[in-house]
Every structure is written in structure tokens, then in C-alpha cells.
Amino acid sequence: MLASNALIGLREGLEAALVVVILAAFLVKTDRRWALRHVWTGVGVAVALSVALGALLTYGTKQLTFEAQELIGGTASIIAVVFVTFMVFWMKSASRTISGELKGKLDKALDMGPFAIALVAFLGVGREGLETAIFFYATTEAAGQGNNQPLIGWVIGLGGAVLLGWLIYRGAVKINLTKFFRWTGILLVLVAAGILAYGIHDLQEAGFLPGLTTLAFDVSATVDPGSWYATLLKGIFNFTPATTVLQAIAWVLYVGIVLTLFLRPARTTPKAPAVTPSSDARPTVAA
């Protein structure tokens, strides 16, 4: 769980950090430092709400029945998969234009006042914070009680994202964002497939979905659940030696469809061929 959570934390955290870096750099370069405090206000509120949501999901469900906990955990996992799917496709198309879009929004907000400035920062960071909170809950539930690896992974990933964001702002590090989001996107699709399978298993245990005892395969005799490689597979891809048919179908369909669409080259609009004037062409004179 350490590696997958660190990856998700790094990806989510870097997206939020890039928002802050772009907004702060724009204000500094345009000599409008007075607005920085309003940006930090929006960032602070977004972070606080994200932490509150994560705490509510993590600790607010402990007193519920087993079935209710599994239902909430499974639903949160499905929502997390929806978020990560949207995220990888959005960043694939927006990685080259996000800077211009944010600068344009902030430029308009500067004319509207402090609340609008804070709102731009809040919305930019808050979306990533919401995704992070739901991811955190889904991954901690998948790890089970008493397992601190997800928390450690998140701390490493988010800490690395903050450090990278600061280095990018200072100009010490340059990252090809297109390649970065492409390769992390591929890994996240595989991680999300595991979260999807785990969420389906939760919903099966809650009685919401059928087929809990209908297994696609059970390799427990070959893959010892307590072995290091089983722990590694579960930690990165949420692989379980005993997998139901519904879990297997969902995993294969998700990876097959999403990864194919994600790796498909973006369509480019063909340019119109240049027209070469003919030697016989004569200018038309308007009457």
C-alpha cells in the first residue's frame, strides 16, 4: 500500500501544488503581491475542508454496522475510481493549457476583489483536495485497520509534491508535465482498477451486489496471502488471491477500455492545404 498511496499522493499533491505555483508566480511577475494573501486564504480553506472530509469519512463510519461500513467503503471506492478516471483524462488534455486558463481566471478575479481571488485558489486546490480525501478513505479501508502504510505513503507522496512544487517555483527543477502525467496516468489506471475491484468486493460483502462466493479464481494455495509478493501486489494493485467473477470482469473491462482510450493519440485537426495562385488567375474587380 505504501507505493500506490505515495504515487496517488504525489500525483494529487503535485496537481494542487502546480495550481498554487502558477497563481503565485503570476502575481509576483505582474507586481501584484498584495493578492498573495487572498490566494493563500483560498488554499488554506480548501486544505482544511479536505482534511475535515477525510476525517469524517475515516472516523465517522466506525460506529456503523459492518454492512453499512462496507456499503460506504465500496461506494467511496467507486467514486474514487470515477475521480481518478476523470483526472487522468483531464490532465492529458489540459497539461499544456492549465497555466493560461488559471492566469486568465485570476486576472479577471483581480478586478472583482479579494473574495474572487480566494475563490479561484479555493476551486483549483479544492477539487484536488476532495479527490485526495476520498482516495485516502478508500485506500485506508482497503488496507484494513491497524495498517499505517497508507498514511505513510500519503505523507511521502504529498511531502514530495510540496517539495517539487517549491523547487519548480524557485526554478530549480523543470518537469515535462506531459510525460509526467502520461506515465503516472498509466500507473494510476492500474491502481484505480484495483480500487474498483476492492470496492465491488465491499459492495458484495454489504449484500448490495451478488456473487460474493462465486470466484473467478483462488490462488491462495500458490500465492500465500502473508508473503511479501502478495503484500506487494495488494499494496500496488489491490490484488487478492481469491477474486470473485464480478471483480475480475470489472478489472479487465476497466483496464482494457480506460487504458486503450488513455493511450490513444489525440486527434489533430488537419490544416487546409495552401492555395497557390494560378498564373492564369486574374483579379476580380468589384463593380
Side-chain angles (χ1 to χ4, degrees):
M1 301 300 288
L2 186 66
S4 61
N5 284 284
L7 171 65
I8 299 173
L10 177 64
R11 168 86 182 220
E12 292 285 344
L14 186 58
E15 288 185 24
L18 286 174
V19 171
V20 178
V21 167
I22 291 169
L23 296 180
F26 175 72
L27 292 176
V28 171
K29 288 181 179 180
T30 56
D31 198 23
R32 288 182 278 191
R33 295 173 181 268
W34 60 267
L36 283 172
R37 64 179 183 273
H38 303 304
V39 168
W40 286 114
T41 298
V43 171
V45 173
V47 171
L49 288 179
S50 301
V51 172
L53 176 60
L56 178 64
L57 289 172
T58 303
Y59 300 107
T61 59
K62 298 301 182 184
Q63 305 303 320
L64 299 176
T65 63
F66 173 78
E67 288 76 12
Q69 290 184 31
E70 295 301 292
L71 181 61
I72 294 175
T75 303
S77 296
I78 303 300
I79 294 174
V81 171
V82 172
F83 278 155
V84 75
T85 305
F86 171 79
M87 176 183 67
V88 296
F89 281 104
W90 180 74
M91 285 307 299
K92 177 184 177 181
S93 60
S95 59
R96 296 183 179 181
T97 60
I98 185 174
S99 178
E101 291 177 2
L102 283 172
K103 290 176 182 177
K105 292 178 181 178
L106 184 59
D107 197 34
K108 294 179 181 178
L110 287 165
D111 296 329
M112 300 173 64
F115 178 78
I117 297 170
L119 184 61
V120 171
F122 171 79
L123 293 177
V125 176
R127 182 189 62 221
E128 310 303 333
L130 175 63
E131 295 174 0
T132 300
I134 295 178
F135 266 127
F136 179 79
Y137 174 70
T139 52
T140 52
E141 286 296 301
Q145 295 184 357
N147 190 340
N148 294 325
Q149 287 193 22
L151 178 59
I152 297 173
W154 278 101
V155 170
I156 293 173
L158 292 175
V162 172
L163 177 60
L164 275 176
W166 183 78
L167 290 175
I168 291 171
Y169 177 76
R170 301 297 298 180
V173 171
K174 294 184 181 296
I175 296 178
N176 186 321
L177 293 179
T178 301
K179 290 184 177 179
F180 173 83
F181 287 122
R182 176 181 176 84
W183 287 108
T184 56
I186 293 172
L187 292 174
L188 278 180
V189 168
L190 298 176
V191 171
I195 295 176
L196 174 62
Y198 178 83
I200 288 175
H201 188 265
D202 270 359
L203 295 177
Q204 288 177 316
E205 288 191 323
F208 185 78
L209 292 177
L212 180 61
T213 58
T214 306
L215 299 180
F217 57 85
D218 185 356
V219 293
S220 301
T222 305
V223 180
D224 182 7
S227 63
W228 67 268
Y229 48 87
T231 303
L232 182 65
L233 289 172
K234 178 175 175 57
I236 299 177
F237 303 115
N238 266 303
F239 171 81
T240 53
T243 300
T244 67
V245 171
L246 195 56
Q247 284 180 280
I249 292 174
W251 193 96
V252 171
L253 287 178
Y254 179 84
V255 172
I257 295 173
V258 175
L259 203 55
T260 299
L261 293 176
F262 180 72
L263 294 176
R264 185 177 61 181
R267 293 182 179 180
T268 56
T269 304
K271 295 182 179 180
V275 178
T276 304
S278 171
S279 58
D280 296 332
R282 297 182 179 182
T284 302
V285 180

Short mmCIF file of all heavy atoms in Angstrom, two decimals, residues 1-2 4-6 8-9 50-51 53-62 69-70 72-74 76-77 80 131-155 158 191 194-195 198-199 202 234-235 238:
data_model
loop_
_atom_site.label_atom_id
_atom_site.label_comp_id
_atom_site.label_asym_id
_atom_site.label_seq_id
_atom_site.Cartn_x
_atom_site.Cartn_y
_atom_site.Cartn_z
N MET A 1 0.81 -1.20 0.00
CA MET A 1 0.00 0.00 0.00
C MET A 1 0.86 1.27 0.00
O MET A 1 0.41 2.33 -0.38
CB MET A 1 -0.93 0.03 1.24
CG MET A 1 -1.88 -1.14 1.34
SD MET A 1 -3.00 -1.25 -0.07
CE MET A 1 -4.07 0.13 0.26
N LEU A 2 2.10 1.14 0.45
CA LEU A 2 2.98 2.30 0.57
C LEU A 2 3.24 2.94 -0.79
O LEU A 2 3.08 4.15 -0.96
CB LEU A 2 4.29 1.88 1.22
CG LEU A 2 5.29 3.01 1.55
CD1 LEU A 2 4.72 3.92 2.62
CD2 LEU A 2 6.61 2.41 2.00
N SER A 4 1.64 2.56 -3.81
CA SER A 4 0.47 3.07 -4.53
C SER A 4 -0.05 4.36 -3.90
O SER A 4 -0.42 5.31 -4.61
CB SER A 4 -0.63 2.02 -4.58
OG SER A 4 -1.07 1.68 -3.28
N ASN A 5 -0.06 4.43 -2.58
CA ASN A 5 -0.53 5.64 -1.91
C ASN A 5 0.44 6.80 -2.09
O ASN A 5 0.01 7.95 -2.22
CB ASN A 5 -0.76 5.36 -0.43
CG ASN A 5 -2.03 4.58 -0.17
OD1 ASN A 5 -3.12 5.11 -0.22
ND2 ASN A 5 -1.89 3.30 0.09
N ALA A 6 1.74 6.49 -2.10
CA ALA A 6 2.71 7.54 -2.37
C ALA A 6 2.54 8.09 -3.78
O ALA A 6 2.63 9.31 -4.01
CB ALA A 6 4.14 7.00 -2.18
N ILE A 8 -0.31 8.08 -5.61
CA ILE A 8 -1.53 8.88 -5.66
C ILE A 8 -1.32 10.22 -4.96
O ILE A 8 -1.74 11.27 -5.45
CB ILE A 8 -2.71 8.12 -5.02
CG1 ILE A 8 -2.97 6.82 -5.77
CG2 ILE A 8 -3.97 8.98 -5.03
CD1 ILE A 8 -4.01 5.93 -5.11
N GLY A 9 -0.65 10.18 -3.79
CA GLY A 9 -0.40 11.42 -3.07
C GLY A 9 0.48 12.37 -3.86
O GLY A 9 0.24 13.59 -3.88
N SER A 50 -10.76 19.68 2.99
CA SER A 50 -10.34 18.36 2.53
C SER A 50 -9.97 17.46 3.70
O SER A 50 -10.36 16.29 3.76
CB SER A 50 -9.15 18.49 1.57
OG SER A 50 -9.47 19.30 0.47
N VAL A 51 -9.22 18.02 4.66
CA VAL A 51 -8.84 17.25 5.85
C VAL A 51 -10.09 16.88 6.66
O VAL A 51 -10.21 15.75 7.16
CB VAL A 51 -7.85 18.05 6.72
CG1 VAL A 51 -7.61 17.36 8.06
CG2 VAL A 51 -6.54 18.24 5.97
N LEU A 53 -13.15 16.45 5.53
CA LEU A 53 -13.89 15.41 4.82
C LEU A 53 -13.21 14.06 5.00
O LEU A 53 -13.88 13.04 5.24
CB LEU A 53 -13.98 15.75 3.33
CG LEU A 53 -14.65 14.69 2.44
CD1 LEU A 53 -16.09 14.44 2.89
CD2 LEU A 53 -14.61 15.11 0.97
N GLY A 54 -11.88 14.03 4.90
CA GLY A 54 -11.16 12.78 5.11
C GLY A 54 -11.36 12.22 6.50
O GLY A 54 -11.55 11.01 6.69
N ALA A 55 -11.33 13.11 7.51
CA ALA A 55 -11.54 12.67 8.89
C ALA A 55 -12.96 12.17 9.10
O ALA A 55 -13.19 11.17 9.80
CB ALA A 55 -11.23 13.82 9.85
N LEU A 56 -13.91 12.87 8.49
CA LEU A 56 -15.31 12.46 8.62
C LEU A 56 -15.55 11.08 8.03
O LEU A 56 -16.22 10.23 8.64
CB LEU A 56 -16.22 13.49 7.95
CG LEU A 56 -17.73 13.19 7.96
CD1 LEU A 56 -18.25 13.16 9.39
CD2 LEU A 56 -18.49 14.22 7.13
N LEU A 57 -15.01 10.85 6.85
CA LEU A 57 -15.18 9.55 6.21
C LEU A 57 -14.45 8.45 6.98
O LEU A 57 -14.97 7.34 7.14
CB LEU A 57 -14.64 9.60 4.78
CG LEU A 57 -15.45 10.41 3.76
CD1 LEU A 57 -14.70 10.52 2.45
CD2 LEU A 57 -16.81 9.77 3.54
N THR A 58 -13.24 8.77 7.48
CA THR A 58 -12.42 7.74 8.13
C THR A 58 -12.94 7.38 9.52
O THR A 58 -13.03 6.20 9.88
CB THR A 58 -10.96 8.22 8.23
OG1 THR A 58 -10.49 8.54 6.92
CG2 THR A 58 -10.08 7.13 8.84
N TYR A 59 -13.29 8.40 10.31
CA TYR A 59 -13.67 8.15 11.70
C TYR A 59 -15.18 8.20 11.94
O TYR A 59 -15.66 7.69 12.95
CB TYR A 59 -12.99 9.17 12.61
CG TYR A 59 -11.48 9.12 12.52
CD1 TYR A 59 -10.78 10.12 11.86
CD2 TYR A 59 -10.77 8.05 13.06
CE1 TYR A 59 -9.39 10.07 11.76
CE2 TYR A 59 -9.38 7.99 12.96
CZ TYR A 59 -8.70 9.01 12.32
OH TYR A 59 -7.34 8.95 12.21
N GLY A 60 -15.90 8.81 11.02
CA GLY A 60 -17.34 8.96 11.23
C GLY A 60 -18.14 7.70 10.95
O GLY A 60 -19.33 7.62 11.27
N THR A 61 -17.50 6.70 10.33
CA THR A 61 -18.22 5.47 9.99
C THR A 61 -17.88 4.31 10.93
O THR A 61 -18.38 3.20 10.73
CB THR A 61 -17.86 5.04 8.55
OG1 THR A 61 -16.45 4.84 8.44
CG2 THR A 61 -18.29 6.12 7.56
N LYS A 62 -17.05 4.54 11.95
CA LYS A 62 -16.60 3.45 12.81
C LYS A 62 -17.72 2.85 13.65
O LYS A 62 -17.67 1.68 14.02
CB LYS A 62 -15.47 3.94 13.73
CG LYS A 62 -14.23 4.42 12.99
CD LYS A 62 -13.63 3.32 12.13
CE LYS A 62 -12.36 3.79 11.44
NZ LYS A 62 -11.79 2.77 10.52
N GLN A 69 -20.73 -0.09 6.92
CA GLN A 69 -19.35 0.31 6.66
C GLN A 69 -18.88 -0.17 5.29
O GLN A 69 -18.21 0.57 4.55
CB GLN A 69 -18.43 -0.23 7.75
CG GLN A 69 -18.60 0.42 9.11
CD GLN A 69 -17.60 -0.09 10.12
OE1 GLN A 69 -16.48 -0.46 9.77
NE2 GLN A 69 -17.99 -0.13 11.38
N GLU A 70 -19.22 -1.42 4.97
CA GLU A 70 -18.81 -1.96 3.67
C GLU A 70 -19.52 -1.23 2.53
O GLU A 70 -18.92 -0.99 1.47
CB GLU A 70 -19.15 -3.46 3.61
CG GLU A 70 -18.36 -4.31 4.60
CD GLU A 70 -16.87 -4.20 4.37
OE1 GLU A 70 -16.39 -4.69 3.34
OE2 GLU A 70 -16.19 -3.62 5.23
N ILE A 72 -20.57 1.93 2.54
CA ILE A 72 -19.96 3.25 2.40
C ILE A 72 -18.56 3.13 1.80
O ILE A 72 -18.18 3.90 0.91
CB ILE A 72 -19.90 3.97 3.77
CG1 ILE A 72 -21.32 4.28 4.25
CG2 ILE A 72 -19.09 5.25 3.67
CD1 ILE A 72 -21.38 4.87 5.64
N GLY A 73 -17.79 2.14 2.28
CA GLY A 73 -16.45 1.95 1.75
C GLY A 73 -16.45 1.59 0.28
O GLY A 73 -15.65 2.12 -0.50
N GLY A 74 -17.37 0.71 -0.13
CA GLY A 74 -17.46 0.34 -1.53
C GLY A 74 -17.88 1.51 -2.40
O GLY A 74 -17.33 1.72 -3.50
N ALA A 76 -17.44 4.71 -1.70
CA ALA A 76 -16.31 5.65 -1.76
C ALA A 76 -15.26 5.19 -2.75
O ALA A 76 -14.66 6.00 -3.47
CB ALA A 76 -15.69 5.82 -0.37
N SER A 77 -15.02 3.89 -2.81
CA SER A 77 -14.04 3.35 -3.76
C SER A 77 -14.48 3.60 -5.20
O SER A 77 -13.66 3.99 -6.05
CB SER A 77 -13.84 1.85 -3.53
OG SER A 77 -13.29 1.60 -2.26
N ALA A 80 -14.02 7.20 -5.97
CA ALA A 80 -12.59 7.48 -6.15
C ALA A 80 -12.13 7.08 -7.54
O ALA A 80 -11.34 7.78 -8.18
CB ALA A 80 -11.77 6.73 -5.09
N GLU A 131 -10.76 14.97 -4.10
CA GLU A 131 -10.32 13.68 -4.63
C GLU A 131 -9.38 12.98 -3.64
O GLU A 131 -9.48 11.78 -3.40
CB GLU A 131 -9.61 13.88 -5.97
CG GLU A 131 -10.52 14.40 -7.07
CD GLU A 131 -9.75 14.71 -8.34
OE1 GLU A 131 -8.51 14.52 -8.34
OE2 GLU A 131 -10.37 15.15 -9.32
N THR A 132 -8.46 13.76 -3.06
CA THR A 132 -7.49 13.20 -2.12
C THR A 132 -8.17 12.61 -0.90
O THR A 132 -7.81 11.52 -0.43
CB THR A 132 -6.48 14.28 -1.70
OG1 THR A 132 -5.81 14.77 -2.85
CG2 THR A 132 -5.46 13.73 -0.72
N ALA A 133 -9.18 13.32 -0.35
CA ALA A 133 -9.88 12.85 0.84
C ALA A 133 -10.59 11.52 0.57
O ALA A 133 -10.53 10.59 1.39
CB ALA A 133 -10.89 13.90 1.30
N ILE A 134 -11.25 11.42 -0.58
CA ILE A 134 -11.97 10.18 -0.90
C ILE A 134 -10.98 9.05 -1.20
O ILE A 134 -11.18 7.91 -0.78
CB ILE A 134 -12.91 10.42 -2.09
CG1 ILE A 134 -14.00 11.42 -1.70
CG2 ILE A 134 -13.54 9.12 -2.56
CD1 ILE A 134 -14.96 11.78 -2.80
N PHE A 135 -9.89 9.38 -1.89
CA PHE A 135 -8.85 8.38 -2.14
C PHE A 135 -8.27 7.87 -0.83
O PHE A 135 -8.03 6.67 -0.66
CB PHE A 135 -7.72 8.98 -2.98
CG PHE A 135 -7.88 8.73 -4.45
CD1 PHE A 135 -7.85 9.78 -5.35
CD2 PHE A 135 -8.05 7.45 -4.93
CE1 PHE A 135 -7.99 9.56 -6.71
CE2 PHE A 135 -8.18 7.22 -6.29
CZ PHE A 135 -8.15 8.27 -7.17
N PHE A 136 -8.00 8.80 0.09
CA PHE A 136 -7.40 8.41 1.36
C PHE A 136 -8.31 7.44 2.11
O PHE A 136 -7.85 6.42 2.64
CB PHE A 136 -7.15 9.65 2.22
CG PHE A 136 -6.57 9.34 3.56
CD1 PHE A 136 -5.22 9.06 3.70
CD2 PHE A 136 -7.36 9.32 4.70
CE1 PHE A 136 -4.67 8.77 4.94
CE2 PHE A 136 -6.82 9.03 5.95
CZ PHE A 136 -5.47 8.75 6.07
N TYR A 137 -9.59 7.75 2.13
CA TYR A 137 -10.53 6.86 2.82
C TYR A 137 -10.59 5.49 2.15
O TYR A 137 -10.56 4.45 2.81
CB TYR A 137 -11.92 7.49 2.85
CG TYR A 137 -12.99 6.57 3.42
CD1 TYR A 137 -13.00 6.27 4.78
CD2 TYR A 137 -13.96 6.01 2.60
CE1 TYR A 137 -13.96 5.42 5.30
CE2 TYR A 137 -14.92 5.17 3.12
CZ TYR A 137 -14.92 4.88 4.47
OH TYR A 137 -15.87 4.03 4.97
N ALA A 138 -10.67 5.49 0.82
CA ALA A 138 -10.77 4.23 0.09
C ALA A 138 -9.53 3.36 0.30
O ALA A 138 -9.64 2.14 0.49
CB ALA A 138 -10.99 4.50 -1.40
N THR A 139 -8.35 3.98 0.28
CA THR A 139 -7.13 3.19 0.41
C THR A 139 -6.90 2.71 1.84
O THR A 139 -6.38 1.61 2.06
CB THR A 139 -5.91 4.00 -0.05
OG1 THR A 139 -5.89 5.28 0.62
CG2 THR A 139 -5.95 4.23 -1.55
N THR A 140 -7.30 3.50 2.84
CA THR A 140 -7.15 3.05 4.22
C THR A 140 -8.12 1.92 4.53
O THR A 140 -7.79 1.00 5.28
CB THR A 140 -7.39 4.21 5.21
OG1 THR A 140 -8.64 4.86 4.91
CG2 THR A 140 -6.27 5.23 5.14
N GLU A 141 -9.31 1.99 3.94
CA GLU A 141 -10.26 0.89 4.12
C GLU A 141 -9.75 -0.39 3.46
O GLU A 141 -9.90 -1.49 4.00
CB GLU A 141 -11.62 1.28 3.53
CG GLU A 141 -12.39 2.30 4.35
CD GLU A 141 -12.76 1.75 5.72
OE1 GLU A 141 -13.47 0.72 5.80
OE2 GLU A 141 -12.33 2.35 6.73
N ALA A 142 -9.13 -0.24 2.30
CA ALA A 142 -8.60 -1.42 1.61
C ALA A 142 -7.46 -2.05 2.39
O ALA A 142 -7.27 -3.27 2.37
CB ALA A 142 -8.12 -1.02 0.21
N ALA A 143 -6.68 -1.22 3.09
CA ALA A 143 -5.54 -1.74 3.85
C ALA A 143 -5.96 -2.46 5.11
O ALA A 143 -5.28 -3.37 5.58
CB ALA A 143 -4.59 -0.60 4.20
N GLY A 144 -7.10 -2.06 5.67
CA GLY A 144 -7.57 -2.69 6.91
C GLY A 144 -7.12 -1.92 8.14
O GLY A 144 -6.19 -1.10 8.08
N GLN A 145 -7.78 -2.15 9.25
CA GLN A 145 -7.47 -1.45 10.48
C GLN A 145 -6.10 -1.84 10.99
O GLN A 145 -5.67 -2.98 10.88
CB GLN A 145 -8.54 -1.74 11.53
CG GLN A 145 -9.92 -1.20 11.17
CD GLN A 145 -10.93 -1.43 12.28
OE1 GLN A 145 -10.62 -2.04 13.31
NE2 GLN A 145 -12.14 -0.94 12.08
N GLY A 146 -5.42 -0.87 11.59
CA GLY A 146 -4.11 -1.12 12.17
C GLY A 146 -2.96 -1.08 11.19
O GLY A 146 -1.81 -1.25 11.58
N ASN A 147 -3.24 -0.85 9.91
CA ASN A 147 -2.20 -0.78 8.90
C ASN A 147 -1.88 0.70 8.63
O ASN A 147 -2.71 1.45 8.12
CB ASN A 147 -2.65 -1.45 7.61
CG ASN A 147 -1.52 -1.62 6.61
OD1 ASN A 147 -0.50 -0.95 6.69
ND2 ASN A 147 -1.69 -2.52 5.66
N ASN A 148 -0.67 1.12 8.97
CA ASN A 148 -0.28 2.53 8.83
C ASN A 148 0.39 2.83 7.49
O ASN A 148 0.77 3.98 7.25
CB ASN A 148 0.68 2.92 9.96
CG ASN A 148 0.01 2.89 11.32
OD1 ASN A 148 -1.17 3.22 11.45
ND2 ASN A 148 0.75 2.49 12.35
N GLN A 149 0.53 1.81 6.64
CA GLN A 149 1.23 2.04 5.37
C GLN A 149 0.54 3.08 4.49
O GLN A 149 1.23 3.90 3.88
CB GLN A 149 1.39 0.72 4.62
CG GLN A 149 2.44 -0.19 5.23
CD GLN A 149 2.82 -1.34 4.31
OE1 GLN A 149 2.64 -1.27 3.10
NE2 GLN A 149 3.35 -2.40 4.88
N PRO A 150 -0.81 3.06 4.37
CA PRO A 150 -1.44 4.09 3.54
C PRO A 150 -1.12 5.51 4.02
O PRO A 150 -0.82 6.39 3.21
CB PRO A 150 -2.93 3.78 3.68
CG PRO A 150 -2.98 2.34 4.00
CD PRO A 150 -1.80 2.08 4.85
N LEU A 151 -1.17 5.73 5.34
CA LEU A 151 -0.88 7.05 5.88
C LEU A 151 0.56 7.46 5.58
O LEU A 151 0.82 8.59 5.16
CB LEU A 151 -1.13 7.06 7.39
CG LEU A 151 -0.82 8.39 8.11
CD1 LEU A 151 -1.66 9.51 7.54
CD2 LEU A 151 -1.05 8.24 9.62
N ILE A 152 1.50 6.53 5.78
CA ILE A 152 2.91 6.82 5.50
C ILE A 152 3.09 7.13 4.01
O ILE A 152 3.81 8.07 3.64
CB ILE A 152 3.80 5.64 5.92
CG1 ILE A 152 3.71 5.41 7.44
CG2 ILE A 152 5.24 5.88 5.50
CD1 ILE A 152 4.41 4.16 7.91
N GLY A 153 2.44 6.33 3.15
CA GLY A 153 2.53 6.56 1.72
C GLY A 153 2.00 7.93 1.33
O GLY A 153 2.62 8.65 0.52
N TRP A 154 0.86 8.32 1.91
CA TRP A 154 0.29 9.63 1.61
C TRP A 154 1.21 10.75 2.07
O TRP A 154 1.38 11.75 1.36
CB TRP A 154 -1.09 9.77 2.27
CG TRP A 154 -2.19 9.15 1.50
CD1 TRP A 154 -2.79 7.95 1.73
CD2 TRP A 154 -2.83 9.69 0.34
NE1 TRP A 154 -3.76 7.71 0.78
CE2 TRP A 154 -3.81 8.76 -0.07
CE3 TRP A 154 -2.67 10.87 -0.39
CZ2 TRP A 154 -4.62 8.97 -1.18
CZ3 TRP A 154 -3.49 11.08 -1.49
CH2 TRP A 154 -4.45 10.13 -1.88
N VAL A 155 1.79 10.60 3.25
CA VAL A 155 2.70 11.63 3.76
C VAL A 155 3.91 11.78 2.83
O VAL A 155 4.32 12.90 2.50
CB VAL A 155 3.16 11.27 5.20
CG1 VAL A 155 4.29 12.21 5.63
CG2 VAL A 155 1.99 11.37 6.17
N LEU A 158 2.55 13.36 -0.64
CA LEU A 158 2.18 14.78 -0.52
C LEU A 158 3.40 15.63 -0.17
O LEU A 158 3.54 16.75 -0.67
CB LEU A 158 1.09 14.95 0.54
CG LEU A 158 -0.27 14.34 0.19
CD1 LEU A 158 -1.23 14.46 1.36
CD2 LEU A 158 -0.87 15.04 -1.05
N VAL A 191 -3.81 1.20 -10.69
CA VAL A 191 -4.17 1.33 -9.27
C VAL A 191 -5.69 1.48 -9.12
O VAL A 191 -6.31 0.87 -8.25
CB VAL A 191 -3.44 2.53 -8.64
CG1 VAL A 191 -3.96 2.81 -7.23
CG2 VAL A 191 -1.94 2.27 -8.59
N GLY A 194 -7.59 -1.72 -9.34
CA GLY A 194 -7.57 -2.46 -8.09
C GLY A 194 -8.54 -1.89 -7.08
O GLY A 194 -9.22 -2.64 -6.35
N ILE A 195 -8.64 -0.56 -7.00
CA ILE A 195 -9.59 0.07 -6.09
C ILE A 195 -11.02 -0.26 -6.50
O ILE A 195 -11.89 -0.49 -5.66
CB ILE A 195 -9.37 1.60 -6.06
CG1 ILE A 195 -7.99 1.91 -5.47
CG2 ILE A 195 -10.45 2.30 -5.26
CD1 ILE A 195 -7.62 3.38 -5.49
N TYR A 198 -11.73 -3.78 -5.38
CA TYR A 198 -11.92 -3.80 -3.93
C TYR A 198 -13.29 -3.23 -3.56
O TYR A 198 -13.97 -3.75 -2.68
CB TYR A 198 -10.81 -3.01 -3.24
CG TYR A 198 -10.99 -2.98 -1.74
CD1 TYR A 198 -10.55 -4.03 -0.94
CD2 TYR A 198 -11.61 -1.89 -1.12
CE1 TYR A 198 -10.73 -4.02 0.43
CE2 TYR A 198 -11.79 -1.87 0.24
CZ TYR A 198 -11.34 -2.93 1.02
OH TYR A 198 -11.53 -2.91 2.39
N GLY A 199 -13.68 -2.13 -4.23
CA GLY A 199 -14.98 -1.53 -3.95
C GLY A 199 -16.12 -2.47 -4.26
O GLY A 199 -17.11 -2.54 -3.52
N ASP A 202 -16.39 -4.94 -1.49
CA ASP A 202 -17.07 -4.33 -0.35
C ASP A 202 -18.58 -4.35 -0.54
O ASP A 202 -19.35 -4.67 0.39
CB ASP A 202 -16.60 -2.89 -0.16
CG ASP A 202 -15.38 -2.81 0.75
OD1 ASP A 202 -14.93 -3.86 1.24
OD2 ASP A 202 -14.88 -1.69 0.97
N LYS A 234 -0.94 -6.61 -3.49
CA LYS A 234 -2.11 -5.99 -2.88
C LYS A 234 -1.87 -4.50 -2.66
O LYS A 234 -2.76 -3.67 -2.88
CB LYS A 234 -2.44 -6.65 -1.54
CG LYS A 234 -3.64 -6.01 -0.82
CD LYS A 234 -4.01 -6.74 0.44
CE LYS A 234 -5.12 -6.03 1.19
NZ LYS A 234 -6.33 -5.82 0.39
N GLY A 235 -0.64 -4.16 -2.25
CA GLY A 235 -0.33 -2.78 -1.96
C GLY A 235 -0.38 -1.89 -3.20
O GLY A 235 -0.82 -0.75 -3.12
N ASN A 238 -4.03 -3.78 -5.38
CA ASN A 238 -5.16 -4.32 -4.62
C ASN A 238 -5.51 -5.74 -5.06
O ASN A 238 -6.68 -6.14 -5.04
CB ASN A 238 -6.39 -3.41 -4.76
CG ASN A 238 -6.49 -2.40 -3.62
OD1 ASN A 238 -6.52 -2.78 -2.45
ND2 ASN A 238 -6.51 -1.14 -3.97
#
